[in-house]
Amino acid sequence: MATKIPLVPDAQLLESMRAVGYSFSTALADIIDNSISAGATTIRIVALPSAHRTISILDNGKGMDLDEAMTAMKLAGRSSSDSRRRGDLGRFGLGLKTASLSQGRVLTLATRRDGKTSILRWDLDHVAAVGEWELLLLDREEASSIQELKTLESLRNGTLVVWENLDRFDDHYEGYIEHLANELKEAKDHIGLVFHRFLDDAVTAARDVSIFVNNAAVKPATPLLEKNPSTIPGPIQSEKVADSSIKIQSFTLPHRSKMSDEEFATAQIGSTFRDSQGFYVYRENRLVIWGTWFRMATKQELGKLARVAVEIPNVLDHLWSLDIKKSQAVPPPAVRERLRTYANRMIEPSKRVFTYKGRTVSTPSFAPLWNVVQLRDGFTVEINDDNPLIQALLHVASDEDQKKTINSALSLLERSIPIDNIFNRLGKDEIFSSDDTSEELEKIADGLANAMKGSFENSDKFVESFINTPPFEGHSMAETILRRSFEAA
């Protein structure tokens, strides 16, 4: 029989666990998970610059008694295999400790249940000095300087998490202030994204929660743009997995021209809109993964409007390989093939949004200014000689030399289109725009009418030829401007 040797981890494990990989934003999100799981409706983050380098997260949840608080401060105080109630955003029983100590060397937990406060602390310097797993239980006098403690004690129930000695920031005080301001800005964006369903009153599937950062309310950032009337939602599909199920729904976002600037900023999760396409995985209404096809499809420019929401319950965590930070997950084999079908199918509607923008179909007699010519190994564009404007331009040429000059200029235009520059700008989701004011259209219409009036029987034919062509297409005054110019010519 093997000899049993108890081998207790060294107390310095706490120091090593700081390298789990939390960012400032993901660390705050992990604490917010606990607050939401505790039933909080208001969560306040206080991070004012001070020499003490302290950050506080206060909620009005159900709080804990001393025994529960000690369990919460214990590493893996709850097994990841334990069953969890619906809506519980916890997983490994490590988040409070690993997230907090990744940012600062002191973690204080002050919690209040039925008017009674319990205060516990992990101090990494103290643990290193004594070489023991010593959790400190503070009395009220020892805790008197804790930021936001008085606010907690004004509540009957609630929990306060305090990070102190933030050593991941710039050493110099001026640099620390700037670093903190940048981190808080990124954190607000991150929190607004991952908890957007809780922050949005219109989402009935998630309980309403208000989150404040230094008294400024965090706004929801909805990446699927469900409220935009031009967004195309697909039907909700349910897939059976083990003894539970996941829900899948596709969304095709509108063209950039049909988004407000705020909507565009909200929907662009990655560094570019192209990087933001893919699956959006929600766990108990909390966004955990976004902007990935899980290597089931390649990201492409014409597919950048494709989004697929995948909702998973916490009972399937073990199948999705959810990590400690809740920032990585891998779909189980039972789901992977179904998701692959969605990934390939969803790119097509996104392509259609780019290739068809709802423009009025031109009349059969209309000849566009540009033709796209398909080649064996690519394509090119050329000016259409049958376009009435080009015909008129050649018609007014007084001799063959002028016609050659015009043809040379047209040929030069065809060969000097800045395709690469246009593609790069559209890839960055810049909006192509031109001067389509009524005054500019009147100048163009006057020139067309003066040059071409003899080519048309009446104003109706003139209007019919140009009203569906840029820059007149879609302009509310196009018909009036064209008719008035023809009649005045």
Side-chain angles (χ1 to χ4, degrees), residues 217-228:
V218 177
K219 297 180 179 179
T222 307
L224 305 178
L225 300 188
E226 296 102 318
K227 295 179 182 179
N228 187 308

Side-chain angles (χ1 to χ4, degrees), residues 262-291:
E262 183 178 358
E263 286 177 323
F264 177 75
T266 293
Q268 182 176 300
I269 307 303
S271 56
T272 65
F273 219 81
R274 180 180 182 275
D275 292 334
S276 305
Q277 64 186 281
F279 293 109
Y280 283 67
V281 181
Y282 292 84
R283 174 183 179 267
E284 300 294 338
N285 287 310
R286 195 260 211 203
L287 186 61
V288 292
I289 301 291
W290 55 87

Side-chain angles (χ1 to χ4, degrees), residues 318-359:
H318 61 293
L319 295 180
W320 281 77
S321 304
L322 190 72
D323 72 350
I324 292 175
K325 304 185 299 296
K326 306 184 192 76
S327 61
Q328 295 292 330
V330 179
V335 179
R336 194 171 184 86
E337 285 308 310
R338 182 61 175 162
L339 294 183
R340 188 188 305 277
T341 301
Y342 266 87
N344 294 323
R345 194 170 67 197
M346 274 308 300
I347 293 174
E348 292 307 314
S350 176
K351 289 181 179 179
R352 288 196 293 270
V353 171
F354 281 104
T355 56
Y356 174 72
K357 302 184 180 69
R359 294 185 173 183

Side-chain angles (χ1 to χ4, degrees), residues 354-366:
F354 281 104
T355 56
Y356 174 72
K357 302 184 180 69
R359 294 185 173 183
T360 304
V361 178
S362 302
T363 60
S365 62
F366 165 65

Side-chain angles (χ1 to χ4, degrees), residues 60 65 106 319 407-408:
N60 65 344
D65 59 27
V106 178
L319 295 180
N407 281 320
S408 295

Side-chain angles (χ1 to χ4, degrees), residues 188-437:
K188 285 183 69 174
D189 293 340
H190 182 79
I191 292 168
L193 172 65
V194 298
F195 298 105
H196 73 86
R197 289 188 171 180
F198 296 93
L199 294 167
D200 191 340
D201 295 341
V203 178
T204 57
R207 178 168 45 83
D208 291 344
V209 177
S210 298
I211 302 176
F212 298 87
V213 176
N214 290 338
N215 290 324
V218 177
K219 297 180 179 179
T222 307
L224 305 178
L225 300 188
E226 296 102 318
K227 295 179 182 179
N228 187 308
S230 297
T231 296
I232 306 172
I236 299 175
Q237 305 286 336
S238 182
E239 294 292 326
K240 188 74 173 178
V241 180
D243 294 327
S244 188
S245 62
I246 65 172
K247 293 181 180 179
I248 307 172
Q249 185 177 20
S250 61
F251 294 87
T252 302
L253 271 57
H255 188 265
R256 173 67 179 93
S257 61
K258 295 184 179 180
M259 298 182 199
S260 67
D261 290 342
E262 183 178 358
E263 286 177 323
F264 177 75
T266 293
Q268 182 176 300
I269 307 303
S271 56
T272 65
F273 219 81
R274 180 180 182 275
D275 292 334
S276 305
Q277 64 186 281
F279 293 109
Y280 283 67
V281 181
Y282 292 84
R283 174 183 179 267
E284 300 294 338
N285 287 310
R286 195 260 211 203
L287 186 61
V288 292
I289 301 291
W290 55 87
T292 176
W293 290 121
F294 293 120
R295 298 185 179 179
M296 299 174 191
T298 57
K299 291 185 176 181
Q300 50 187 283
E301 187 65 21
L302 292 181
K304 63 185 180 182
L305 301 179
R307 307 280 192 272
V308 181
V310 182
E311 300 186 31
I312 61 175
N314 54 20
V315 295
L316 296 179
D317 286 348
H318 61 293
L319 295 180
W320 281 77
S321 304
L322 190 72
D323 72 350
I324 292 175
K325 304 185 299 296
K326 306 184 192 76
S327 61
Q328 295 292 330
V330 179
V335 179
R336 194 171 184 86
E337 285 308 310
R338 182 61 175 162
L339 294 183
R340 188 188 305 277
T341 301
Y342 266 87
N344 294 323
R345 194 170 67 197
M346 274 308 300
I347 293 174
E348 292 307 314
S350 176
K351 289 181 179 179
R352 288 196 293 270
V353 171
F354 281 104
T355 56
Y356 174 72
K357 302 184 180 69
R359 294 185 173 183
T360 304
V361 178
S362 302
T363 60
S365 62
F366 165 65
L369 182 60
W370 292 93
N371 283 334
V372 178
V373 181
Q374 186 66 50
L375 305 176
R376 183 171 60 182
D377 56 352
F379 74 97
T380 188
V381 293
E382 61 183 25
I383 292 176
N384 183 9
D385 291 338
D386 294 329
N387 181 274
L389 176 59
I390 303 301
Q391 290 286 314
L393 186 62
L394 294 171
H395 179 72
V396 297
S398 60
D399 54 41
E400 287 301 317
D401 287 339
Q402 285 189 2
K403 286 184 179 181
K404 287 181 180 179
T405 301
I406 292 172
N407 281 320
S408 295
L410 295 177
S411 180
L412 181 61
L413 283 174
E414 289 176 338
R415 287 160 175 76
S416 59
I417 300 173
I419 293 290
D420 290 339
N421 187 286
I422 292 171
F423 179 80
N424 288 334
R425 288 178 177 274
L426 292 177
K428 296 176 183 177
D429 300 296
E430 294 185 34
I431 298 176
F432 175 78
S433 62
S434 58
D435 186 3
D436 291 339
T437 63

Side-chain angles (χ1 to χ4, degrees), residues 98-119:
T98 54
S100 300
L101 295 175
S102 72
Q103 304 302 309
R105 300 193 61 79
V106 178
L107 160 63
T108 302
L109 173 69
T111 185
R112 191 167 171 83
R113 169 76 65 80
D114 296 331
K116 185 175 181 180
T117 304
S118 303
I119 307 172

